[in-house]
Amino acid sequence: MAKVAFIGVGNMGAPMARNLVKAGHEVHVFDIVATNMQSVQGAHMAEQAQFAVAGAPFVISMLPESRHVQSLYLGEKGLLAHIAPTALVIDCSTISAQASREVAHAAADRGIAMMDAPVSGGTNGAAAGTLTFMVGAQEEHLARARPLLEQMGKNIFHAGAPGAGQAAKLANNMLLGIMMAGTCEALALGVANGLDPKVLSDIMKQSSGGNWVLERYNPWPGVAQGVPAANHYAGGFGVDLMLKDLGLATEAAMASKSVTTLGEVARNLFALHSRLGHGKLDFSSILKTIQNHTD
Amino acid sequence: MAKVAFIGVGNMGAPMARNLVKAGHEVHVFDIVATNMQSVQGAHMAEQAQFAVAGAPFVISMLPESRHVQSLYLGEKGLLAHIAPTALVIDCSTISAQASREVAHAAADRGIAMMDAPVSGGTNGAAAGTLTFMVGAQEEHLARARPLLEQMGKNIFHAGAPGAGQAAKLANNMLLGIMMAGTCEALALGVANGLDPKVLSDIMKQSSGGNWVLERYNPWPGVAQGVPAANHYAGGFGVDLMLKDLGLATEAAMASKSVTTLGEVARNLFALHSRLGHGKLDFSSILKTIQNHTD
Amino acid sequence: MAKVAFIGVGNMGAPMARNLVKAGHEVHVFDIVATNMQSVQGAHMAEQAQFAVAGAPFVISMLPESRHVQSLYLGEKGLLAHIAPTALVIDCSTISAQASREVAHAAADRGIAMMDAPVSGGTNGAAAGTLTFMVGAQEEHLARARPLLEQMGKNIFHAGAPGAGQAAKLANNMLLGIMMAGTCEALALGVANGLDPKVLSDIMKQSSGGNWVLERYNPWPGVAQGVPAANHYAGGFGVDLMLKDLGLATEAAMASKSVTTLGEVARNLFALHSRLGHGKLDFSSILKTIQNHTD
Amino acid sequence: MAKVAFIGVGNMGAPMARNLVKAGHEVHVFDIVATNMQSVQGAHMAEQAQFAVAGAPFVISMLPESRHVQSLYLGEKGLLAHIAPTALVIDCSTISAQASREVAHAAADRGIAMMDAPVSGGTNGAAAGTLTFMVGAQEEHLARARPLLEQMGKNIFHAGAPGAGQAAKLANNMLLGIMMAGTCEALALGVANGLDPKVLSDIMKQSSGGNWVLERYNPWPGVAQGVPAANHYAGGFGVDLMLKDLGLATEAAMASKSVTTLGEVARNLFALHSRLGHGKLDFSSILKTIQNHTD
């Protein structure tokens, strides 16, 4: 079992760190919110991030945005100065591919191996140890990280070189945002034309409209069980988090002059939905704004 | 085996009728293009539609647009006047739900049972007898039609009352159009950011971006075999046919004041693609317009 | 002064007819809602439309939708059978270009001259006699109609042959819908980035963003006076009427395979806005949905 | 007459600097491309930017992107360290409002007054001295700058505090992008429905569709003279420059969670148009992609 430094133990990081503790690792956590650290029982709490990483062969980070990751690792006071050159740094944050590459290059300049491994699966997946990792890394680095990742997740995809994990995640989540809003449009259109939402869902699921949303995450209340739509859109993957991911896709599209018209329209639908006051609901609640009726 | 009148034996109708002949039915075909009729070997060719339907317990029609179906069945010279009240009329055309209901009501006024059963699966599915039928019908009428439908198709979905088959098909195909264009956007964005299209396809297929397009119809040349993208986008489901279906969805959305922003944007992407000269290619060729690069 | 039959004296038709009475014409009105007729003082009320048109050299109609116009004039019981071949029929309804041409052709078959002359300017313009007419007509027919039109409106544009008036109006109003929503987006974006809405309006009005909305119809409350935004979006041009006009543009775009992506997105924004319960407000209220904030 | 340092004398900066020379100022230019400097006859060429600004009461910069402005002024080797605290810095670059504020704050920290004054009017306006300036500045700073600005431009708008000039410009140009594409859609729709583009342009110009594009910049070849459409879309305001400005609007919209659906769709239309190989044409050439026909 290894010594693992884990920086950022919020809603996602804490259950991930707990799974590493459970697997027998010596986990040293740090979070700028001290009470977050207390939620990882069995872990060592560090007063500063640099204390957590000292001598650790693995450093994992799980932070909200690009600027947090950049500010953690880079600069004169950055953590890279305190990490052993033999260590492997695994950043699980969902940030821009560009920021991810920037930090990986800075790490490489110091001889430190770094990989991006953003996740999907939400807090439930983090707790259950069933996350999906999309990894941007050299082959040998992924091989070294795999045992750790397998204690936190189920599917581990190798997307390519550093930065590729972020690129894969933003492409996937942009498609997910389009599919969720598109599935809501199709269901609302069918229902407005006399169809039963469950019957239509079943038909499309087995036809060329079939997709993950219809299989696992039906947005229409009453059609599926155990999904946010069955629970007033509580829990799940929040509208504002989807909005953040769609924003990362937009940035990548602008940087590469890509055409993502549907992605942009989906982003604006979620932005409008958030402005209507639904930012904290699960993202399948976009149905409410698409299907809204006042009569 | 039954006597079946089959009106409209073009690209889709002809192979469907051939499957009925093969199953042993006495098939009487009519088409305004006489040479079309000759392509259904073993069928009786009628000089007029009314001769084909005389005494037939089943009447099947497969025509291009709403106006053709309306003009075939309705009015003083319409075919309903020549169909036996005990007959079952199965319209397999993809037309507007509204036109479909209008004809079904006119049939009901004469005591004739009518159902809409639009198909998906294309000319390949028609030839192989593996079409999907989306049926709008009373239960007992579908029960009567089922043996015939099973000789032409594999999946038979009961969407609801007359008109519901059309509503289900247009909702499904609108979602398909959105997913195809959305999947192309996600793949193009990923590739522009350094990913391999096959690797990204595999990742999204197993993640929350998973959908029928990635499973069966990958639009990126070289990723999947046996799909139109592997064959210069020849064959398959034409851009102009997708455009027609998206137009039916638009009509239904306007009639029901539904919000289908992504559906409309997808329709305009296919319209633009068609105007660029690609109307006859398979609809997965939308990738060319989304990813176009001139350097 | 001439005998004029005026069919359809609702919100728009009544003030138009009143202006003709005021100008000294002998006006015979008909409306299926009897009380509507009473609002045109000095006019003769007809019990049936055919009585109104008997012997009238001018027939004007102002009806809500294509189907009303078709049903008024066409068919065995249609009004064309009762109109003198020497009469000039002026349809001021806003309907589809296709329906307009269909009725004009049926009139021509009977030797009756017909023109489409849809208006803009709303109920205020109708009352003030300052409407804008967009006319589809032969030159000589417009020349005959001009004196009448000038008593109801200020600007009279000759768009082309019959049907062209409708085509011009739907193109103009689609652009207006795009500009209104686009101007709201620009103002909301500027204000969210620290600008004063009045200062920004003034700058854009004099720059390359200048348009009719900024000049005459500023949607931001407090910026301009005498506009619906200054009066809680009451009065003016209703959201549902804009939605109707954008729908006519969509129909025309689909029939001509035109690409109108922005037009479609604008239509869906107004549809969403209407579903949120604002269908009866002035169309500049779209700002509320674009700029909505819950904090 | 004053000593003026002018950093960045490319396509836009050079003619602006020439107008200052012409007005009698002592202009010291710097550009990383040495030959650019030679195009400003009568100016002093500086070997380094810091030599140009030494002792100059006015410093003007005109650079391509946010990062160039940041890298010019900020950091240990940044130009701010060499500018006199009594000087007034006028950045005419079109960059993000956020980057603009960042540099203005850094200047303020050193007691240096800074204002953003992005322009519109293109290279023609720069040469003719008829640019429009949108200024973000304190009142007294604008008062000091006004005489200089009036030698380079005609309209000087005070948008608000530092950063407001950029915010106003991106709001205006987003609206311009929407209006250009929207006007093209309306014209193409009308022409596809039988109208003459000149007649339709005249009608809309005088109606509620009226806007700057129809007044000054008609995109339909043959309708107006002296516009890029009359010259194969050469000259004018390039597609890729419009794309850059729409990208700045997107960034501002994401930062402020604003809904700019039409702005995003317009941006993607220009991105698609650029990918089709038209990036260097005038932005009114978007008509080609919207109206494209292959028959």
Side-chain angles (χ1 to χ4, degrees):
Chain A
M1 295 297 101
K3 177 172 179 185
V4 180
F6 205 113
I7 315 296
V9 284
N11 289 336
M12 288 295 295
M16 292 169 70
R18 277 196 291 268
N19 280 325
L20 294 178
V21 170
K22 212 179 298 173
H25 297 289
E26 178 189 335
V27 180
H28 294 249
V29 299
F30 175 76
D31 197 295
I32 49 166
V33 179
T35 51
N36 280 351
M37 292 191 270
Q38 294 163 8
S39 69
V40 189
Q41 285 197 327
H44 303 258
M45 291 184 274
E47 280 187 34
Q48 294 186 30
Q50 66 192 74
F51 299 161
V53 304
F58 293 101
V59 176
I60 301 179
S61 52
M62 187 53 154
L63 300 172
E65 296 187 18
S66 297
R67 61 196 167 91
H68 304 116
V69 176
Q70 289 165 319
S71 135
L72 173 68
Y73 288 110
L74 303 180
E76 286 179 33
K77 298 183 177 171
L79 207 56
L80 288 178
H82 303 277
I83 296 176
T86 54
L88 175 61
V89 180
I90 306 169
D91 181 41
C92 295
S93 319
T94 293
I95 62 175
S96 77
Q98 196 177 334
S100 192
R101 276 187 221 109
E102 180 191 358
V103 178
H105 288 163
D109 286 348
R110 290 172 174 276
I112 300 172
M114 181 152 189
M115 52 190 272
D116 47 306
V119 307
S120 67
T123 52
N124 289 344
T130 57
L131 291 171
T132 293
F133 288 94
M134 299 188 184
V135 179
Q138 292 178 33
E139 286 278 7
E140 75 248 34
H141 297 158
L142 174 52
R144 258 208 278 164
R146 193 175 284 274
L148 275 188
L149 299 182
E150 285 173 345
Q151 277 143 5
M152 299 183 287
K154 208 172 55 178
N155 296 307
I156 296 159
F157 297 115
H158 189 197
Q166 301 296 352
K169 183 170 177 193
L170 65 85
N172 182 77
N173 281 21
M174 183 184 80
L175 181 51
L176 173 59
I178 292 170
M179 287 197 322
M180 177 56 84
T183 300
C184 288
E185 287 187 2
L187 289 172
L189 177 62
V191 169
N193 282 274
L195 298 178
D196 176 272
K198 182 157 180 22
V199 169
L200 178 57
S201 293
D202 286 345
I203 291 175
M204 295 197 298
K205 198 158 61 178
Q206 300 174 72
S207 304
S208 51
N211 67 62
W212 183 88
V213 169
L214 287 168
E215 286 289 342
R216 307 279 194 88
Y217 217 96
N218 199 298
W220 202 282
V223 170
Q225 298 192 323
V227 294
N231 190 26
H232 305 287
Y233 300 110
F237 181 46
V239 168
D240 286 342
L241 288 173
M242 173 49 87
L243 204 43
K244 176 201 160 192
D245 286 4
L246 289 168
L248 292 173
T250 300
E251 283 178 28
M254 292 202 297
S256 56
K257 300 202 177 182
S258 297
V259 175
T260 54
T261 320
L262 291 170
E264 292 300 322
V265 171
R267 184 169 64 73
N268 276 277
L269 285 171
F270 282 105
L272 197 159
H273 186 55
S274 178
R275 280 197 163 246
L276 287 169
H278 308 308
K280 301 304 170 207
L281 296 183
D282 177 73
F283 83 122
S284 63
S285 67
I286 188 72
L287 178 70
K288 290 162 72 92
T289 285
I290 288 170
Q291 202 234 355
N292 197 293
H293 54 97
T294 48
D295 41 45
Chain B
M1 295 297 101
K3 177 173 179 185
V4 180
F6 205 115
I7 314 297
V9 284
N11 289 337
M12 288 295 293
M16 291 168 73
R18 278 196 291 268
N19 279 325
L20 294 178
V21 169
K22 214 181 296 173
H25 297 289
E26 179 190 334
V27 180
H28 293 250
V29 299
F30 174 76
D31 197 294
I32 50 167
V33 179
T35 52
N36 280 351
M37 293 192 269
Q38 294 163 9
S39 69
V40 190
Q41 285 198 326
H44 303 258
M45 291 184 273
E47 280 188 34
Q48 294 185 32
Q50 66 193 73
F51 300 161
V53 304
F58 294 102
V59 175
I60 301 178
S61 52
M62 188 52 153
L63 301 172
E65 296 187 18
S66 297
R67 61 197 168 90
H68 304 116
V69 176
Q70 289 165 319
S71 133
L72 174 68
Y73 288 109
L74 303 180
E76 285 180 35
K77 297 184 177 170
L79 208 56
L80 289 177
H82 302 278
I83 295 175
T86 54
L88 175 61
V89 180
I90 307 168
D91 180 40
C92 295
S93 319
T94 293
I95 62 174
S96 77
Q98 196 177 335
S100 193
R101 276 188 220 108
E102 180 191 358
V103 178
H105 288 162
D109 286 348
R110 290 173 173 276
I112 301 172
M114 181 152 188
M115 53 191 272
D116 48 306
V119 307
S120 66
T123 51
N124 289 345
T130 58
L131 291 172
T132 293
F133 288 94
M134 300 189 185
V135 179
Q138 293 177 33
E139 286 279 7
E140 76 247 35
H141 297 158
L142 174 52
R144 255 207 279 165
R146 193 175 284 274
L148 275 189
L149 299 182
E150 284 173 346
Q151 275 142 6
M152 299 182 286
K154 208 171 56 177
N155 295 307
I156 298 160
F157 297 116
H158 189 198
Q166 301 296 352
K169 183 170 178 195
L170 64 85
N172 181 78
N173 281 21
M174 183 183 80
L175 181 51
L176 173 59
I178 292 169
M179 287 196 324
M180 177 55 84
T183 300
C184 289
E185 287 186 3
L187 289 172
L189 177 62
V191 169
N193 281 274
L195 299 178
D196 177 273
K198 180 156 181 23
V199 170
L200 178 57
S201 294
D202 285 344
I203 291 175
M204 295 198 298
K205 198 158 61 178
Q206 299 174 74
S207 305
S208 51
N211 66 61
W212 183 89
V213 169
L214 287 168
E215 287 289 344
R216 308 277 195 88
Y217 217 96
N218 199 297
W220 203 282
V223 170
Q225 297 192 322
V227 294
N231 190 26
H232 306 286
Y233 300 110
F237 181 46
V239 167
D240 286 343
L241 288 172
M242 173 49 87
L243 204 43
K244 176 201 161 192
D245 286 4
L246 288 168
L248 292 173
T250 300
E251 283 178 29
M254 292 202 297
S256 56
K257 300 201 176 183
S258 297
V259 175
T260 54
T261 320
L262 291 169
E264 292 300 323
V265 172
R267 183 170 64 73
N268 277 277
L269 285 171
F270 283 104
L272 197 158
H273 186 55
S274 179
R275 279 197 164 248
L276 287 169
H278 308 308
K280 301 303 171 210
L281 295 182
D282 176 74
F283 82 122
S284 63
S285 65
I286 188 72
L287 177 70
K288 290 163 73 92
T289 286
I290 287 170
Q291 201 234 354
N292 197 293
H293 55 97
T294 47
D295 41 48
Chain C
M1 295 296 101
K3 177 173 179 187
V4 180
F6 206 115
I7 315 294
V9 283
N11 289 336
M12 288 296 293
M16 291 168 72
R18 276 197 292 268
N19 280 324
L20 294 178
V21 170
K22 212 179 298 174
H25 297 289
E26 178 189 335
V27 180
H28 294 249
V29 299
F30 175 76
D31 197 296
I32 50 168
V33 179
T35 52
N36 279 351
M37 291 191 270
Q38 294 163 7
S39 70
V40 190
Q41 285 197 327
H44 303 258
M45 292 184 273
E47 281 189 32
Q48 294 185 32
Q50 66 193 73
F51 300 161
V53 305
F58 294 102
V59 176
I60 300 179
S61 52
M62 187 52 154
L63 300 172
E65 296 187 18
S66 297
R67 60 195 167 91
H68 304 116
V69 175
Q70 289 164 319
S71 133
L72 173 68
Y73 289 109
L74 304 180
E76 286 180 33
K77 298 183 177 171
L79 206 56
L80 289 177
H82 302 278
I83 295 175
T86 54
L88 175 62
V89 180
I90 306 169
D91 181 40
C92 295
S93 319
T94 293
I95 61 175
S96 78
Q98 197 177 335
S100 193
R101 276 187 221 108
E102 181 191 357
V103 178
H105 288 162
D109 286 347
R110 290 173 173 275
I112 301 173
M114 180 151 189
M115 54 191 271
D116 48 306
V119 306
S120 68
T123 52
N124 289 344
T130 58
L131 292 171
T132 293
F133 288 93
M134 298 187 185
V135 178
Q138 293 177 32
E139 287 279 7
E140 77 248 34
H141 296 159
L142 174 52
R144 256 208 279 165
R146 193 175 284 274
L148 275 188
L149 300 182
E150 284 175 345
Q151 276 143 5
M152 298 182 287
K154 208 172 56 178
N155 296 307
I156 297 160
F157 296 116
H158 188 198
Q166 301 296 351
K169 183 171 178 193
L170 64 84
N172 181 77
N173 281 20
M174 183 183 81
L175 181 51
L176 172 59
I178 292 169
M179 287 197 322
M180 176 56 83
T183 300
C184 288
E185 288 187 1
L187 289 172
L189 178 61
V191 170
N193 282 274
L195 299 179
D196 176 272
K198 181 157 179 25
V199 170
L200 178 57
S201 293
D202 285 345
I203 291 175
M204 295 197 299
K205 199 158 61 177
Q206 299 174 73
S207 305
S208 51
N211 66 61
W212 183 88
V213 168
L214 287 168
E215 286 289 344
R216 307 278 195 88
Y217 217 96
N218 199 297
W220 203 283
V223 170
Q225 297 192 322
V227 294
N231 190 26
H232 306 286
Y233 300 110
F237 181 45
V239 167
D240 287 342
L241 288 173
M242 173 48 88
L243 205 43
K244 176 202 160 191
D245 286 3
L246 289 167
L248 291 173
T250 301
E251 283 178 29
M254 293 202 297
S256 56
K257 301 202 175 181
S258 297
V259 174
T260 54
T261 319
L262 291 169
E264 292 300 323
V265 171
R267 184 170 63 73
N268 276 276
L269 285 171
F270 283 104
L272 197 158
H273 185 56
S274 179
R275 279 197 164 248
L276 287 169
H278 308 309
K280 301 302 170 210
L281 295 183
D282 177 73
F283 82 123
S284 63
S285 66
I286 187 72
L287 178 71
K288 290 163 73 92
T289 285
I290 287 170
Q291 201 232 356
N292 197 293
H293 55 97
T294 49
D295 42 46
Chain D
M1 295 296 100
K3 178 172 179 186
V4 181
F6 205 114
I7 316 295
V9 284
N11 289 336
M12 288 295 295
M16 291 168 71
R18 277 197 291 267
N19 280 325
L20 294 178
V21 170
K22 212 180 299 174
H25 297 289
E26 177 189 336
V27 181
H28 294 248
V29 299
F30 174 75
D31 196 294
I32 50 167
V33 179
T35 51
N36 280 351
M37 292 191 270
Q38 294 163 7
S39 70
V40 189
Q41 284 198 327
H44 303 257
M45 291 184 273
E47 278 187 35
Q48 295 184 31
Q50 65 193 75
F51 300 161
V53 305
F58 293 102
V59 176
I60 300 178
S61 52
M62 188 52 155
L63 300 171
E65 295 187 19
S66 297
R67 60 195 168 91
H68 303 116
V69 176
Q70 288 165 320
S71 134
L72 173 68
Y73 288 109
L74 304 180
E76 286 178 34
K77 299 184 177 170
L79 207 55
L80 288 178
H82 303 278
I83 295 176
T86 53
L88 174 62
V89 180
I90 307 169
D91 181 40
C92 296
S93 319
T94 293
I95 62 175
S96 77
Q98 196 177 335
S100 192
R101 277 188 219 108
E102 180 192 358
V103 178
H105 289 162
D109 287 347
R110 290 172 173 276
I112 300 172
M114 180 152 189
M115 53 190 271
D116 47 307
V119 307
S120 68
T123 51
N124 289 344
T130 58
L131 291 171
T132 293
F133 288 94
M134 299 189 185
V135 179
Q138 293 177 32
E139 285 278 6
E140 75 248 34
H141 297 158
L142 174 52
R144 256 208 279 164
R146 194 176 283 275
L148 275 188
L149 299 182
E150 284 175 346
Q151 277 143 6
M152 298 182 287
K154 207 172 55 178
N155 296 307
I156 297 160
F157 296 116
H158 189 198
Q166 300 296 350
K169 183 171 178 193
L170 64 84
N172 182 77
N173 281 20
M174 183 183 80
L175 181 51
L176 173 59
I178 292 169
M179 287 197 323
M180 177 56 84
T183 300
C184 288
E185 288 187 2
L187 289 172
L189 178 61
V191 169
N193 282 274
L195 298 178
D196 176 271
K198 180 154 181 24
V199 170
L200 178 57
S201 293
D202 285 344
I203 291 175
M204 296 198 297
K205 199 158 60 178
Q206 299 174 73
S207 306
S208 51
N211 66 61
W212 184 89
V213 169
L214 287 168
E215 286 289 343
R216 306 276 196 90
Y217 218 95
N218 199 297
W220 202 283
V223 170
Q225 297 193 321
V227 294
N231 190 26
H232 306 287
Y233 301 110
F237 181 45
V239 167
D240 286 343
L241 288 174
M242 173 48 87
L243 204 44
K244 176 201 160 192
D245 286 4
L246 289 168
L248 291 173
T250 300
E251 284 178 27
M254 293 203 297
S256 56
K257 301 203 177 182
S258 298
V259 174
T260 53
T261 320
L262 291 169
E264 292 300 323
V265 171
R267 184 170 62 76
N268 276 276
L269 286 171
F270 283 104
L272 197 159
H273 186 56
S274 179
R275 281 198 164 247
L276 287 169
H278 308 308
K280 301 304 171 210
L281 294 184
D282 177 73
F283 82 123
S284 63
S285 66
I286 188 71
L287 177 72
K288 289 164 71 92
T289 285
I290 287 170
Q291 201 233 356
N292 196 292
H293 55 98
T294 48
D295 39 46

